[in-house]
Amino acid sequence: MEKLRLAQAGETDRPLLGVLRGARRDVPPIWLMRQAGRYLPEYRALRAEKGGFLELVHDSAAAAEVTLQPIRRFGFDGAILFSDILVIPHAMGQDLTFGVGEGPRLAPALVDRALAELAPVPQRLSPVYETVRLVRRGLPGETTFLGFAGSPWTVATYMVAGQGSREQAESRRYAYRDPKAFQAIVDAIASLTVDYLCGQIEAGVDAVQLFDSWAGSLSPAQFERWVIAPTARIVAAVRARHPGTPIIGFPKGAGGKLPAYARETGVDAVGIDETVDPVWANGEIPAGMPVQGNLDPLALIAGGAPLQKSVATILAAFADRPHIFNLGHGILPDTPIDHVAAVIAQVRGT
């Protein structure tokens, strides 16, 4: 009976999926945020062949290849869909461009244009679903396939300002000045995100993650309204349609607000960034809840003894709960490949 339970949980054949469903493992599964990307020479070669980033995302065969590259090289326990959080505003009708050295741009910026002026183009999401289907066919059976979307607050900051910013001041001012209009933007993002995540699940992903990269810029009250509430809405709606699919929430920068996020959003697992003390997190996050994280990407670049110590500290902190080893944010382009291999070996004890 116990073997049957573990098999149903995915613990025996897909370790990462089993942990997301609450199974603790002596050797935690591992994947790294942005593991498909610029630190890999095979990615750089394909990017040079295909052109711009958005062109690569919209080329389903190429995006599937990028998703699979780190699995072939490192044998991670999880594959993360190669796409971008800004495909949602693109499908909502904003123009999306990626300038060289400039980052993404969305137009028109909603700080001075009405949401109602946008003409939705939902077919812009079709290449992503095709990418999922292609990856599913090429993925090893033991590898958990993770889809994702940006959380409404983070996506809204780009839609309002037309670009990213470290303090999100323009979007925060907008939310205070006209909360009704900002609520409409967040609600529209949440509604499409539910359909988008369900579309990924129906195409073949095993679990999904919500990235709230700018959650740390908000006051506690604003965090409740713009992070926790819309995330809870998305989680409930996705779970109603796909009750067996785990959902990871990653509110980067949440800090002391992390326990409330873990309790109130309904996510199955919570990701923590590198600024959070893992010992504190283990004591504050609900008992038995799977945790993902939280190696500093700069420690991964540094390598050597500091890297080994950081990995050991994280493993010890979460030794008694379901844990997925990961970074505290995305892997950086100048990360040495041999450092990635060293972390995998340390985590797996090989």
Side-chain angles (χ1 to χ4, degrees):
M1 182 63 72
E2 179 66 8
K3 287 184 178 180
L4 176 60
R5 184 192 67 79
L6 292 174
Q8 290 173 337
E11 173 72 358
T12 57
D13 55 353
R14 292 183 188 172
L16 196 155
L17 186 60
V19 169
L20 288 175
R21 290 175 172 162
R24 193 199 71 82
R25 294 180 64 92
D26 291 335
V27 177
I30 178 173
W31 71 278
L32 303 180
M33 283 182 274
R34 293 184 188 159
Q35 65 190 22
R38 291 175 290 172
Y39 75 109
L40 291 177
E42 54 266 45
Y43 170 83
R44 294 195 296 270
L46 187 59
R47 172 76 179 268
E49 175 189 338
K50 295 295 181 178
F53 176 79
L54 193 57
E55 289 76 12
L56 194 57
V57 168
H58 285 163
D59 184 330
S60 298
E65 169 61 21
V66 172
T67 303
L68 292 166
Q69 283 174 347
I71 306 305
R72 297 194 195 106
R73 180 182 280 271
F74 296 115
F76 287 117
D77 295 293
I80 182 74
L81 170 68
F82 180 76
S83 185
D84 192 83
I85 65 170
L86 298 184
V87 297
I88 286 290
H90 196 216
M92 291 173 67
Q94 284 184 304
D95 292 329
L96 174 61
T97 58
F98 287 83
V100 178
E102 295 180 349
R105 295 287 190 273
L106 289 165
L110 296 185
V111 68
D112 52 17
R113 297 286 288 274
L115 177 66
E117 295 180 43
L118 300 181
V121 193
Q123 60 268 30
R124 285 175 170 170
L125 297 176
S126 297
V128 178
Y129 305 139
E130 178 60 17
T131 298
V132 172
R133 287 187 284 269
L134 292 173
V135 173
R136 180 79 274 167
R137 292 200 289 268
L139 204 61
E142 68 274 13
T143 308
T144 298
F145 189 9
L146 301 164
F148 74 91
S151 291
W153 161 251
T154 290
V155 174
T157 67
Y158 286 94
M159 293 186 73
V160 168
Q163 60 185 326
S165 66
R166 292 207 171 272
E167 295 183 353
Q168 297 80 53
E170 197 160 33
S171 299
R172 288 161 60 201
R173 284 196 296 266
Y174 185 103
Y176 278 116
R177 183 177 70 248
D178 195 343
K180 183 177 179 180
F182 194 78
Q183 185 73 62
I185 294 170
V186 166
D187 288 346
I189 294 167
S191 292
L192 183 55
T193 299
V194 170
D195 291 338
Y196 179 52
L197 291 176
C198 288
Q200 292 180 39
I201 294 165
E202 289 152 15
V205 302
D206 300 305
V208 293
Q209 175 160 312
L210 284 164
F211 285 90
D212 221 336
S213 302
W214 301 128
S217 62
L218 293 168
S219 70
Q222 297 297 92
F223 186 87
E224 284 282 341
R225 180 167 185 178
W226 304 127
V227 173
I228 288 180
T231 300
R233 174 186 165 189
I234 291 170
V235 170
V238 171
R239 184 161 293 133
R241 288 163 62 174
H242 296 282
T245 302
I247 303 170
I248 309 167
F250 177 57
K252 188 178 188 299
K257 299 183 286 292
L258 189 64
Y261 179 98
R263 291 192 307 268
E264 297 172 21
T265 59
V267 295
D268 296 286
V270 64
I272 60 175
D273 66 68
E274 69 274 17
T275 67
V276 175
D277 179 355
V279 175
W280 174 86
N282 187 58
E284 295 296 326
I285 292 171
M289 186 178 200
V291 168
Q292 178 176 274
N294 68 324
L295 180 67
D296 188 343
L298 291 177
L300 184 59
I301 290 177
L307 174 59
Q308 293 173 2
K309 182 178 179 180
S310 296
V311 172
T313 297
I314 294 164
L315 292 175
F318 298 124
D320 294 328
R321 76 158 67 227
H323 176 220
I324 298 163
F325 194 92
N326 207 315
L327 296 175
H329 200 221
I331 193 168
L332 296 168
D334 54 339
T335 301
I337 288 175
D338 59 338
H339 292 187
V340 176
V343 167
I344 295 170
Q346 184 176 352
V347 170
R348 292 177 173 168
T350 59

